[in-house]
Amino acid sequence: MDSTEQGMIKRAKQGDREAFAELVNLYKDRVYHVSYRMLGNRQEAEDVAQETFLRVYSNLENYDPQYKFSTWIYRIASNLSIDTIRKRKQSLSLDAEITGSEGMEWHERLADPSKSPEEEVLTDELQDEVQGAIMGLNPKYRAVMLLRYIEDLSLQEISNVVQLPISTIKTRIHRGREALRKKLRFM
């Protein structure tokens, strides 16, 4: 954590609302994206992001500066997202057929900065397919996969966020990759 972020946190703990607003501005997109990747619903992700910052604000005095602030805030967002999934109790269809991805790797579509309209549509379909596969994962696998591959956190940081041993994180990442591989192979 850089000294600027530490200074914002310290000032926010002392009641400086502008410092807290700077922290929100710094993390709002990342918190939203973590939530959206876990939930697959923009409105729910916005609600979770807002609730995350409300919890951060009301519990800022409990933050331990020896840990990364991002780890703490991701833990809050992840837990709120999982709670939302549990409340929703909605089953997702893994059998839905998604077209437009035959013979193409997902990274081939995402890497090209100048895409034709057809490529744009194919990319959107593929992103929907991958997002659907991720949404079909068990929440315990989904959380670690998103934190590892979308947020690019280290195993130790993920362990801190979900409060599990690194060996469990490695197992969940492996099983999550295998589950995604199986889901995407059949789509």
Side-chain angles (χ1 to χ4, degrees), residues 148-187:
R148 179 70 179 130
Y149 295 109
I150 304 299
E151 295 303 320
D152 201 27
L153 296 182
S154 70
L155 294 175
Q156 183 61 54
E157 290 170 326
I158 296 169
S159 175
N160 293 340
V161 168
V162 296
Q163 298 177 324
L164 293 170
I166 290 178
S167 60
T168 303
I169 301 302
K170 288 180 180 178
T171 301
R172 287 187 179 184
I173 288 173
H174 175 74
R175 290 180 180 165
R177 277 195 312 244
E178 289 301 313
L180 275 178
R181 187 175 291 125
K182 287 178 185 175
K183 288 177 189 296
L184 293 172
R185 185 178 302 141
F186 293 113
M187 290 184 162

Side-chain angles (χ1 to χ4, degrees), residues 2-48:
D2 65 19
S3 61
T4 307
E5 187 175 308
Q6 288 175 353
M8 283 188 279
I9 294 166
K10 185 177 180 181
R11 291 189 344 255
K13 278 185 167 184
Q14 296 170 347
D16 184 342
R17 289 182 183 208
E18 287 183 29
F20 184 75
E22 291 174 29
L23 284 172
V24 169
N25 201 30
L26 183 63
Y27 283 98
K28 68 181 179 184
D29 291 335
R30 290 185 256 179
V31 167
Y32 170 78
H33 288 294
V34 165
S35 302
Y36 180 72
R37 295 278 182 200
M38 290 183 75
L39 299 167
N41 179 295
R42 284 187 167 85
Q43 183 62 46
E44 287 179 332
E46 288 171 2
D47 292 345
V48 165

